[in-house]
Amino acid sequence: MLCQYKTIVISPLVMNMTLANKKILLGIGGGIAAYKSADLVRRLKERGADVRVVMSQSAQQFITPLTLQALSGHPVASDLLDPAAEAAMGHIELARWADLVLIAPATANVIARINAGMADELITTTCLATEAPVVLCPAMNQQMYRNPATQANLASLQSRGLTIWGPASGSQACGEIGPGRMEEPLVIADRVEQFFAPKLLQGKSLLLTAGPTREAIDPVRYISNHSSGKMGFAIAKAAAEMGANVTLVSGPVNLETPVNVERINVQSTQQMLDAVLTKVEHCDIFVGCAAVCDYKVADVANDKIKKSAEEMALALVRNPDILATVAAHEQRPFTVGFAAETQDVERYAKDKLQRKKLDMIAANDVSNPAQGFNSDDNALTVYWSDGQYELAVNDKYTLAKQLLTIIANQMKTA
């Protein structure tokens, strides 16, 4: 007999404006990557942040203050002593205003001057005068980045509590290839979100599976399903933002790895299980979001099967059950499953919750083309031993944050 369930209420979450009321001072150094700063301002603004810009004198040779003023909605500061500023001390005014000082791009010159404690122009003086956290996003020629002087400057700044994001590697404007590219504005905006996100999972290790698995028929054919991996990747992104140490075991999907997430790529269900078992002893939470193949081909052909007969029969055997294996593990983490159903969603989800001895299960109706597989939106009903909660249709990132909040709350009461 199934347990009786009670419904609880959790606080509503505001997700669309993730940086609402956050004051970010963006400092722009004089490098070719300054052109990316315009997009960075836009990315931060669309998430609700109040952005003000301070530019080095050389930065104005690469991008005009007028462009950044139009995007930020505020005058751009560059003069150390500004008659229009409060008491003509713009560096103090801006330093007190900011919740975060973000230098992007941080050129080798700017990094060296900040490390030396120089107050020769507004961008460096503000870093000296602020009590807000300071983040540097390096951008320079790869040889300049590798130079021992630059590395020593970065190490010194980190030892004093400044944060370094990047750089990325790749082709550079000078034609060389290597580390030194400023991270893309979307990545930096994601990092800012993580910086300010409530750390409900701080200190926790979260392991999750995402995407489909593929079971080979022969070297060119396989059995799989329609999972896009979007829900699992949204959970990984949200968990990292909430402070968790995240490992994502992913089937074959075409998605970017979220910032600060360790990713392990697999193909088959057995490979996914093997990867999970290497990590499960060291995790606090396991979320089985992958749509794994329940069956695999008994005898995989070594060569491509040629078309001949009108019919072909395949013998299938059961795959291992990853969720049940984790739930039965000796050092069992808080175990959360997913139930993607096309009918009787509640009945099947509750049965799976009890049969596999899970702590929680999130059920969704994948027969609805507007949600679930391949969609950017979803709706979930979350069940646990004595409660349930409805998460209405929303984008998968928002749902991921809501789901993880429920998990964090349940772990506190478990």
Side-chain angles (χ1 to χ4, degrees):
M1 180 177 178
L2 295 177
C3 296
Q4 297 296 314
Y5 289 82
K6 61 183 181 183
T7 300
I8 68 165
V9 176
I10 61 173
S11 300
L13 301 173
V14 179
M15 301 296 176
N16 294 332
M17 302 292 281
T18 51
L19 296 177
N21 302 318
K22 300 303 180 186
K23 295 174 287 188
I24 300 171
L25 179 62
L26 176 62
I28 302 176
I32 187 61
Y35 80 91
K36 293 183 179 180
S37 300
D39 190 35
L40 178 55
V41 172
R42 184 175 67 87
R43 297 292 183 180
L44 295 171
K45 290 279 290 182
E46 69 187 10
R47 301 178 193 211
D50 187 4
V51 182
R52 299 196 180 195
V53 177
V54 55
M55 301 178 72
S56 71
Q57 295 300 319
S58 57
Q60 298 174 63
Q61 303 301 311
F62 291 92
I63 185 170
T64 67
L66 185 60
T67 297
L68 295 158
Q69 177 176 322
L71 291 169
S72 68
H74 296 288
V76 172
S78 59
D79 294 328
L80 185 56
L81 296 176
D82 183 359
E86 177 186 343
M89 293 186 289
H91 58 289
I92 300 298
E93 187 178 349
L94 289 168
R96 290 173 176 166
W97 172 84
D99 295 319
L100 175 69
V101 176
L102 176 64
I103 310 299
T107 62
N109 183 44
V110 166
I111 290 169
R113 286 156 58 212
I114 293 173
N115 184 51
M118 295 180 69
D120 56 338
E121 66 174 327
L122 185 56
I123 189 171
T124 55
T125 307
T126 303
C127 291
L128 278 178
T130 190
E131 293 183 352
V134 178
V135 175
L136 305 178
C137 298
M140 66 199 73
N141 165 269
Q142 58 88 23
Q143 192 59 49
M144 293 174 67
Y145 174 72
R146 289 189 169 110
N147 189 283
T150 302
Q151 291 301 307
N153 287 333
L154 289 169
S156 174
L157 290 168
Q158 285 183 297
S159 71
R160 285 186 255 152
L162 280 73
T163 300
I164 312 298
W165 289 346
S169 293
S171 60
Q172 300 182 322
C174 59
E176 297 181 11
I177 297 175
R181 289 173 57 91
M182 188 176 99
E183 290 192 321
E184 294 304 312
L186 201 54
V187 173
I188 296 174
D190 284 346
R191 287 187 182 274
V192 174
E193 274 191 341
Q194 287 194 16
F195 181 85
F196 286 111
K199 301 299 187 285
L200 296 178
L201 298 176
Q202 187 71 50
K204 301 294 184 184
S205 292
L206 184 143
L207 173 65
L208 77 153
T209 61
T213 57
R214 291 177 178 175
E215 303 299 338
I217 298 173
D218 61 22
V220 299
R221 301 181 181 91
Y222 57 82
I223 300 170
S224 190
N225 57 62
H226 295 294
S227 175
S228 65
K230 291 179 180 179
M231 190 72 236
F233 275 64
I235 293 171
K237 178 178 185 293
E241 291 174 358
M242 296 168 76
N245 179 20
V246 182
T247 301
L248 169 63
V249 182
S250 175
V253 297
N254 186 28
L255 296 171
E256 292 290 330
T257 306
V259 172
N260 292 333
V261 170
E262 176 190 1
R263 178 173 175 177
I264 302 173
N265 291 320
V266 298
Q267 293 282 327
S268 70
T269 301
Q270 184 63 56
Q271 290 173 347
M272 184 171 281
L273 175 60
D274 292 342
V276 165
L277 291 179
T278 65
K279 299 285 187 177
V280 71
E281 291 184 3
H282 306 290
C283 75
D284 303 295
I285 306 166
F286 175 76
V287 180
C289 191
V292 300
C293 293
D294 295 323
Y295 292 85
K296 61 183 176 181
V297 177
D299 295 304
V300 179
N302 292 324
D303 298 308
K304 178 183 175 181
I305 300 171
K306 305 304 290 183
K307 182 169 63 176
S308 55
E310 291 298 320
E311 295 182 358
M312 182 178 70
L314 292 174
L316 303 179
V317 295
R318 285 283 293 271
N319 259 323
D321 190 316
I322 297 175
L323 255 182
T325 301
V326 172
H329 199 272
E330 184 177 357
Q331 294 178 294
R332 182 182 189 279
F334 188 92
T335 306
V336 182
F338 267 71
E341 304 292 348
T342 58
Q343 60 179 343
D344 293 334
V345 176
E346 180 176 354
R347 179 167 66 88
Y348 285 129
K350 290 179 178 179
D351 174 69
K352 187 174 181 179
L353 174 73
Q354 293 188 327
R355 179 167 42 84
K356 297 192 179 185
K357 298 180 172 58
L358 308 178
D359 294 294
M360 186 178 291
I361 194 162
N364 62 317
D365 184 354
V366 294
S367 67
N368 186 341
Q371 64 190 58
F373 285 162
N374 290 307
S375 172
D376 292 329
D377 298 326
N378 206 353
L380 299 172
T381 304
V382 186
Y383 301 97
W384 56 97
S385 61
D386 61 350
Q388 66 184 67
Y389 194 80
E390 298 281 344
L391 299 178
V393 174
N394 216 321
D395 65 272
K396 289 181 176 178
Y397 172 70
T398 297
L399 288 177
K401 287 229 173 187
Q402 293 173 334
L403 174 62
L404 289 168
T405 300
I406 295 173
I407 291 172
N409 289 338
Q410 284 302 113
M411 290 182 70
K412 290 178 182 178
T413 59

